[in-house]
Amino acid sequence: MAKVVVIGAGFGGLSLGVRLQARGYQVTLLDKQAQPGGHALRLEMGGYRFDMGPSLITAPYLLEELFQLAGRSLSAYLELIPLDPYYRIYFWDGSYLDYTGDAERMKAQLAQLSPGEEKAYDGFMAHAKAFYQAVIEEGLGARPFGWKELWSFLPAALRLGALRSAYSLAAQYFRDERLRFTFSFHPLFIGGDPFLAPAVYQMIPYLEKVGGVWYAKGGMHAVAQALARLFQELGGTLLLSTEAQEIVVRNGQAVAVRTSAGEIPADIVVSNADYLHTVTRLYPEPYRLSRLRERLVQYSMSAFLVYLGLKRTYPERLPHHTIALGPRYRGLVKDIFRRKVLAPDFSLYLHAPTRTEPAMAPPGGESLYILSPVPNLQASVNWEKEKYPYAERILTFLEEKVGLEGLRQQVAVQAFYTPLDFAEQRNCTYGAAWGPEPLLWQTAVLRPSNRSRRLPNVFLVGAGTHPGAGVPGVLLSACATEKALTEAYPLSLATAVTSGRS
Ligand SMILES: Cc1cc2nc3c(=O)[nH]c(=O)nc-3n(C[C@H](O)[C@H](O)[C@H](O)COP(=O)(O)OP(=O)(O)OC[C@H]3O[C@@H](n4cnc5c(N)ncnc54)[C@H](O)[C@@H]3O)c2cc1C
């Protein structure tokens, strides 16, 4: 049987593992972490449970598809709960919007915020739908993106204005800066700068609208655990606490992966690890990316995370998901992505899973996760020194601007996660949690491809490759990588290679 070794058990590695195992390949999935899930790890402190990274589930059909492939039903593994509103957005002036997929409720709120602008909602969503149709329904996100795909998409892309910035598309429809934020911030979910990310990423608002925003009982980590269980039930081997050190290459072909636990032979190797980590550390010489080309890859932002176990809840101020905005939008994004400086102000994303599942905290308590987008480690910030004062500023902002009164007195346990942790614990280059930035010149055919250009039997999967970051993007990347891999090495051929060698 063809042996595939996948480095990294993030959503990319897990979902590709399930796909290949279901097709009859023999997959070994290894990860340096002690838990599967990549960014979707779980932190437990004093009875409080936190998702450490992703928390918002969209496009659940992509998960359902994985279980169906294996002849199983998702509901036997996971309980998904729809959220409404999807999130609340607190604007800089104290006003707020409960963002939902319900067009009428959205329009009523837009009319209150900026009378007359509710009329633009349907037009904007129709535009977002057109992007969604190209990427999702016509399958551009689910197959390797080559020049053929580019030529077929280009006429529609030009007609729809897919190559302009996400913000400029929002500005075409809305005048009020609060609404421009509401309908342009989505690229931030996938590590993109709304003022530079191509407007095609504006398909996300439609993807949310049509598929909903969901919570998995037990949190996002429960989704990773379910996929890991499914993978193992299909006969896959999961090796945790095992770090890949190098892909072993002989005669231009990968033949094994050298790990902290010894060498694992392979007919095909897939990396779900960070892109530059893969091509500059795991690839051996002379296959590594040159220093010059390495410097040309633009990496996304990072995040500073605070996990607070609270003795009380704040249901009146915090629904399940909340975005709390500071005074600046364009300037702050510029500080994070382009100037790469730690700004004095910030905007936050908050996750309060206890709103939907009280058991995520001890009785009456709240497990509150706070994410502040920050520049990656190309900025000169001493996070060891900076994390305490930065967290203090966040707490002050939450008490004074978001109305979480007496927050400091309610803290039972707390932990931080900084860009340094992303770099050291998850091998994220520059501590950039979303991989290569989704810029026009790092999108589609210009993004690292799902099959290595240097080593024919090496493939890439996950946020760093096509179509990009975010759990749905990463699940789609597994479809694209599966296509590339199975076309290049159909089971019969891959098996012949194995038996020829043994
Ligand atoms: C804080 C945060 C919040 C987010 N929120 C959301 C959200 O709400 N919704 C959403 O859809 N997306 C969200 N995202 C994005 C989403 O989580 C990621 O894009 C996605 O999880 C990436 O999955 P992946 O499989 O590509 O890689 P990863 O999750 O990065 O997994 C890669 C794995 O490879 C392992 N690895 C690396 N090097 C090696 C090595 N040498 N040997 C062995 N193992 C190695 C790492 O330990 C890691 O486990 C968020 C991301 C972050 C960071």
Side-chain angles (χ1 to χ4, degrees), residues 6-15 30-41 51-58 188-191 220 239-246 257-260 271-274 277-278 281-282 301-305 307 321 349 351 369-372 417 422 424-428 431-435 461-465 468-475 477:
V6 181
I7 303 164
F11 278 111
L14 285 167
S15 52
L30 59 98
D31 200 297
K32 64 179 286 200
Q33 310 293 330
Q35 303 170 21
H39 288 311
L41 297 189
D51 273 318
M52 293 188 75
S55 55
L56 209 122
I57 299 177
T58 50
L188 284 163
F189 276 165
I190 54 161
M220 189 64 109
L239 301 176
L240 296 171
S241 306
T242 306
E243 182 159 15
Q245 290 156 344
E246 192 169 76
V257 176
R258 197 168 58 248
T259 77
S260 50
S271 180
N272 174 223
D274 172 88
H277 173 74
T278 301
R281 303 281 172 88
L282 298 180
M301 61 180 180
S302 190
F304 175 73
L305 291 131
Y307 308 101
H321 295 292
Y349 160 72
H351 183 216
Y369 149 134
I370 306 156
L371 185 164
S372 171
Y417 205 82
F422 280 108
E424 286 164 12
Q425 296 181 21
R426 299 188 201 152
N427 294 346
C428 296
W434 284 263
V461 70
T465 184
V471 175
V474 164
L475 297 179
S477 85

Side-chain angles (χ1 to χ4, degrees), residues 119-139:
K119 295 192 195 89
Y121 176 84
D122 287 335
F124 174 82
M125 275 300 166
H127 212 139
K129 181 178 178 182
F131 294 139
Y132 175 88
Q133 283 170 328
V135 177
I136 304 290
E137 292 177 1
E138 288 167 30

Side-chain angles (χ1 to χ4, degrees), residues 310-386:
L310 303 177
K311 289 178 258 177
R312 61 159 284 196
T313 59
Y314 288 92
E316 65 293 351
R317 297 300 291 165
L318 299 178
H320 191 114
H321 295 292
T322 302
I323 294 167
L325 299 175
R328 298 182 305 149
Y329 181 23
R330 189 188 289 266
L332 180 61
V333 165
K334 211 171 206 170
D335 283 348
I336 295 169
F337 284 88
R338 314 268 82 91
R339 294 197 199 103
K340 294 193 168 42
V341 292
L342 190 61
D345 54 334
F346 37 70
S347 288
L348 305 174
Y349 160 72
L350 302 123
H351 183 216
T354 19
R355 201 65 64 251
T356 307
E357 188 182 5
M360 292 296 277
E366 184 110 281
S367 297
L368 183 63
Y369 149 134
I370 306 156
L371 185 164
S372 171
V374 295
N376 67 36
L377 293 174
Q378 289 170 309
S380 47
V381 179
N382 179 345
W383 279 107
E384 274 314 313
K385 201 168 126 230
E386 201 60 52

Side-chain angles (χ1 to χ4, degrees), residues 70-94:
R72 313 286 213 278
S73 146
L74 176 138
S75 59
Y77 292 73
L78 280 171
E79 188 184 336
L80 293 186
I81 303 165
L83 298 181
D84 188 11
Y86 296 167
Y87 25 79
R88 173 172 295 173
I89 304 174
Y90 285 111
F91 297 107
W92 40 85
D93 59 355

Side-chain angles (χ1 to χ4, degrees), residues 187-483:
L188 284 163
F189 276 165
I190 54 161
D193 167 348
F195 297 90
L196 273 185
V200 65
Y201 292 110
Q202 290 281 40
M203 61 154 205
I204 302 173
Y206 186 75
L207 176 132
E208 283 180 349
K209 182 169 163 36
V210 76
V213 170
W214 300 75
Y215 172 74
K217 204 162 174 204
M220 189 64 109
H221 183 66
V223 181
Q225 286 288 3
L227 290 179
R229 191 180 129 203
L230 177 64
F231 169 70
Q232 287 172 297
E233 284 173 3
L234 292 173
T237 305
L238 181 61
L239 301 176
L240 296 171
S241 306
T242 306
E243 182 159 15
Q245 290 156 344
E246 192 169 76
I247 297 171
V248 182
V249 176
R250 273 186 218 120
N251 302 325
Q253 296 272 332
V255 293
V257 176
R258 197 168 58 248
T259 77
S260 50
E263 211 166 279
I264 308 174
D267 300 307
I268 298 162
V269 174
V270 184
S271 180
N272 174 223
D274 172 88
Y275 170 65
L276 279 183
H277 173 74
T278 301
V279 298
T280 64
R281 303 281 172 88
L282 298 180
Y283 280 21
E285 290 294 5
Y287 303 98
R288 288 186 178 170
L289 202 68
S290 69
R291 296 288 293 169
L292 177 68
R293 300 239 349 243
E294 180 185 342
R295 267 186 242 124
L296 292 178
V297 182
Q298 272 180 269
Y299 258 63
S300 178
M301 61 180 180
S302 190
F304 175 73
L305 291 131
V306 183
Y307 308 101
L308 296 180
L310 303 177
K311 289 178 258 177
R312 61 159 284 196
T313 59
Y314 288 92
E316 65 293 351
R317 297 300 291 165
L318 299 178
H320 191 114
H321 295 292
T322 302
I323 294 167
L325 299 175
R328 298 182 305 149
Y329 181 23
R330 189 188 289 266
L332 180 61
V333 165
K334 211 171 206 170
D335 283 348
I336 295 169
F337 284 88
R338 314 268 82 91
R339 294 197 199 103
K340 294 193 168 42
V341 292
L342 190 61
D345 54 334
F346 37 70
S347 288
L348 305 174
Y349 160 72
L350 302 123
H351 183 216
T354 19
R355 201 65 64 251
T356 307
E357 188 182 5
M360 292 296 277
E366 184 110 281
S367 297
L368 183 63
Y369 149 134
I370 306 156
L371 185 164
S372 171
V374 295
N376 67 36
L377 293 174
Q378 289 170 309
S380 47
V381 179
N382 179 345
W383 279 107
E384 274 314 313
K385 201 168 126 230
E386 201 60 52
K387 66 183 172 190
Y388 298 105
Y390 195 72
E392 275 303 306
R393 275 158 49 204
I394 287 178
L395 294 189
T396 304
F397 176 83
L398 290 175
E399 287 183 339
E400 292 178 1
K401 301 283 182 203
V402 184
L404 307 189
E405 282 170 18
L407 179 65
R408 281 185 173 80
Q409 284 77 54
Q410 300 304 323
V411 177
V413 288
Q414 68 174 16
F416 307 124
Y417 205 82
T418 75
L420 278 179
D421 297 315
F422 280 108
E424 286 164 12
Q425 296 181 21
R426 299 188 201 152
N427 294 346
C428 296
T429 302
Y430 312 126
W434 284 263
E437 190 181 338
L439 294 159
L440 185 56
W441 53 95
Q442 297 191 147
T443 293
V445 77
L446 301 175
R447 202 161 176 82
S449 60
N450 303 82
R451 184 179 187 185
S452 165
R453 295 199 171 99
R454 288 157 191 252
L455 291 160
N457 62 338
V458 173
F459 295 80
L460 307 178
V461 70
T465 184
H466 171 71
V471 175
V474 164
L475 297 179
L476 286 170
S477 85
C479 304
T481 304
E482 179 198 14
K483 279 201 178 72

